[in-house]
Amino acid sequence: MENLIIIGAGGFALEVIDLIESINTTEEKYKIIGLLDDYKKDFILEKYNVIGKVADYKKFSQNSFVIAIADPNVRESIYSKLKLNDIKTPNLIHPKTEISKYTTLQADSAIVINYSTQISAEVKIEKAVIIDSKSYIGHETTLKSFVTIYPGVNISGKNLINEKTEIGLGSNIIQGLSIGSNSLIGAGSTVINDIKDNVVAVGTPCKPIKDR
Ligand SMILES: CC(C)(COP(=O)(O)OP(=O)(O)OC[C@H]1O[C@@H](n2cnc3c(N)ncnc32)[C@H](O)[C@@H]1OP(=O)(O)O)[C@@H](O)C(=O)NCCC(=O)NCCS
């Protein structure tokens, strides 16, 4: 079994624990050693202990890591430190996810894909992308590094979601658009036009309301 440490001990870490345990029901693959979190001490999530702060990752560098933090900027910062130290970061895919054989995931790069998500053909998924549950990613769409897709999102074909952008709960994006980097699409939005970098955009049709 591969020893695995979870960075983050919040709500998404709870989902990641569930995901890892689901993988293990199919094949005993990962042993969860514990969690690292800067804000929680003497804390137990399900049956797993917080064993240190994020900076303690170096003490555990023989283990593999998953980053269970939805914020793309925090995830990027932690991911680059792990990679500078040559630490293993497996991709974790829930067994109840359907991924086309024509889709490409950047190998061993801390990608997390949660249950009941469907990923169509020729989708490209870069490093440390999170796709939460019940989402659909259409053909030939690219999710650049550190993108976070919250639950219940539908992204149609030939879209480009640029680095560190978050797509809010239950949003829909029609085909062939480009969503800028470091932007946030509000929950329940319908995106029908390109969205630029560094904005918060909301509504139907989705429009920027402020800079980020
Ligand atoms: C977009 C978002 C970040 C805005 O939050 P905020 O910066 O605190 O902004 P406010 O709540 O002050 O809202 C600003 C305006 O946008 C509107 N607005 C906010 N979110 C909206 C949304 N999702 N859809 C439509 N309008 C929205 C507000 O009604 C408000 O309008 P007003 O100025 O006419 O009163 C937030 O509402 C949101 O949707 N976050 C995504 C949450 C999510 O998906 N979480 C996943 C958890 S798993």
Side-chain angles (χ1 to χ4, degrees), residues 96-110:
K96 288 195 181 139
T97 280
E98 289 174 44
I99 301 183
S100 160
K101 62 182 176 187
Y102 300 112
T103 272
T104 316
L105 272 63
Q106 188 166 327
D108 304 320
S109 68

Side-chain angles (χ1 to χ4, degrees), residues 13-23 94 115:
L14 205 49
E15 296 198 355
V16 167
I17 288 171
D18 210 37
L19 189 165
I20 295 164
E21 291 183 347
S22 297
I23 292 173
H94 197 289
Y115 64 89

Side-chain angles (χ1 to χ4, degrees), residues 132 150-151 167-169 184-189 200-203 209-210:
D132 211 331
Y150 291 110
I167 310 293
L169 191 77
L184 189 158
I185 305 299
S189 299
V200 174
V202 302
I209 52 166
K210 56 184 166 187

